Amino acid sequence: IVKVKDTEITIPCGDGRQNFKWLSLVIQSRIKENVSLRRKYDVEAFIVTEIRNIFGEMLNPKDLIQEHSGPNGLTVQAVVASKYPLDEWEYPELGPWVKGAFLKSEIGNYWHSELDAWRNTVKKVGESNQRPEQNGTSFIQIGFDFFSEDFISA
């Protein structure tokens, strides 16, 4: 049984060899099919941002359902949003559950880790009202170092 807001959805999982990522995708499709549940949202997009057990503990999206179910099945709480929250630069802020479920590549994980580190640095600088030390400049270096000869030839 999956609880979404104040509604319960029964999703048969057979022997439970599917993972919680699979369950999140099924939940999203069930919300779209369920007219009464869909009316509780203002938009047509539904994103499961995390799945928690009855104790409020976040479940690993890669865990198998059977690893957490008992003789009477399993009841979980799905946290649903209509869109990902955006930072001040309008990049989506993915929570740890979504990252664990949908970031597959090492590059994707690295990119989001770098983005999170950058957000934290900017936040700390904003809170302290001072500029970070950047080798005597306030510019952000992207790419290669250029020399004056490079600009003349350009």
Side-chain angles (χ1 to χ4, degrees):
I1 295 175
V2 177
K3 294 182 180 182
V4 180
K5 293 204 178 225
D6 57 351
T7 304
E8 289 187 358
I9 304 171
T10 300
I11 300 176
C13 299
D15 61 2
R17 293 189 188 270
Q18 304 88 340
N19 60 25
F20 287 102
K21 175 188 172 186
W22 169 86
L23 184 61
S24 74
L25 298 173
V26 173
I27 294 166
Q28 289 172 185
S29 67
R30 293 289 174 87
I31 291 172
K32 291 176 185 176
E33 295 168 3
N34 186 326
V35 175
S36 63
L37 185 57
R38 200 172 60 219
R39 286 184 184 146
K40 294 180 182 183
Y41 298 96
D42 295 332
V43 294
E44 290 295 318
F46 309 100
I47 305 162
V48 174
T49 57
E50 57 188 49
I51 296 178
R52 295 181 174 269
N53 64 17
I54 59 172
F55 305 110
E57 301 165 328
M58 190 180 312
L59 297 171
N60 186 332
K62 296 175 184 168
D63 282 357
L64 298 180
I65 294 169
Q66 70 180 4
E67 296 172 342
H68 295 269
S69 65
N72 297 327
L74 177 66
T75 300
V76 295
Q77 176 72 41
V79 179
V80 180
S82 58
K83 61 183 178 178
Y84 291 112
L86 302 176
D87 65 13
E88 60 188 281
W89 298 278
E90 297 190 5
Y91 288 108
E93 293 186 48
L94 305 180
W97 196 90
V98 173
K99 287 178 184 177
F102 296 103
L103 289 181
K104 296 292 186 197
S105 70
E106 197 172 308
I107 293 171
N109 284 319
Y110 176 78
W111 186 83
H112 275 282
S113 296
E114 289 294 310
L115 186 57
D116 288 342
W118 179 70
R119 281 186 187 123
N120 290 335
T121 301
V122 169
K123 183 179 176 184
K124 287 177 187 175
V125 169
E127 290 171 354
S128 68
N129 290 325
Q130 54 182 317
R131 294 183 176 268
E133 291 293 322
Q134 295 181 352
N135 300 328
T137 180
S138 61
F139 291 111
I140 298 172
Q141 180 177 343
I142 300 174
F144 302 103
D145 289 331
F146 292 99
F147 300 99
S148 58
E149 298 84 33
D150 296 323
F151 294 109
I152 295 169
S153 64

